[in-house]
């Protein structure tokens, strides 16, 4: 998936999870996001990203009341952290249209 499309994809994931807050939905969303971002340069090359992403998986699998919050904050980091370049790619693409 092109980097500028990841922003919209992650926003859709966030909206869908907010509508259906259950542990299975969060786990499924994690797997969907993982499948999309694992081919991106920031997945392996941004310091600590992969290790924090793996730690997040453990938090998501716990299925406790904080799982959704951890996941949502990490999605926010992917979307807006300059190290990933997702938001910048989204804005650049919007400016071209």
């Amino acid at each position: 998936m092109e980097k500028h499309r990841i922003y919209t994809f992650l926003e859709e994931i966030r909206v869908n999870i907010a509508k259906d807050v259950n542990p299975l939905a969060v786990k499924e969303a994690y797997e969907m996001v993982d499948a999309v971002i694992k081919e991106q340069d920031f997945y392996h090359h941004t310091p600590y990203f992969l290790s924090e992403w793996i730690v997040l998986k453990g938090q998501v699998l716990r299925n406790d009341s904080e799982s959704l919050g951890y996941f949502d904050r990490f999605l926010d980091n992917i979307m807006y952290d300059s190290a990933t370049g997702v938001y910048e790619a989204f804005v650049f693409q919007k400016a071209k249209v």
Side-chain angles (χ1 to χ4, degrees), residues 20-28 60 63-64:
D20 183 19
V21 181
N22 73 60
L24 187 57
V26 177
K27 182 180 178 286
E28 184 178 301
V60 166
N63 295 333
D64 62 15

Side-chain angles (χ1 to χ4, degrees), residues 41-53 74 81-84:
D41 56 348
F42 63 82
Y43 190 80
H44 291 285
H45 302 296
T46 302
Y48 307 109
F49 182 89
L50 186 55
S51 61
E52 290 177 10
W53 182 242
F74 206 93
D81 190 319
S82 62
T84 66

Side-chain angles (χ1 to χ4, degrees), residues 26 56 59 64-75:
V26 177
L56 175 68
Q59 293 168 332
D64 62 15
S65 61
E66 297 174 339
S67 296
L68 178 60
Y70 290 133
F71 186 63
D72 189 58
R73 281 191 296 278
F74 206 93
L75 291 182

Side-chain angles (χ1 to χ4, degrees), residues 2 33 38 40 51 53 81 94:
E2 297 172 40
V33 171
K38 70 182 176 184
Q40 297 298 317
S51 61
W53 182 242
D81 190 319
K94 286 294 182 184

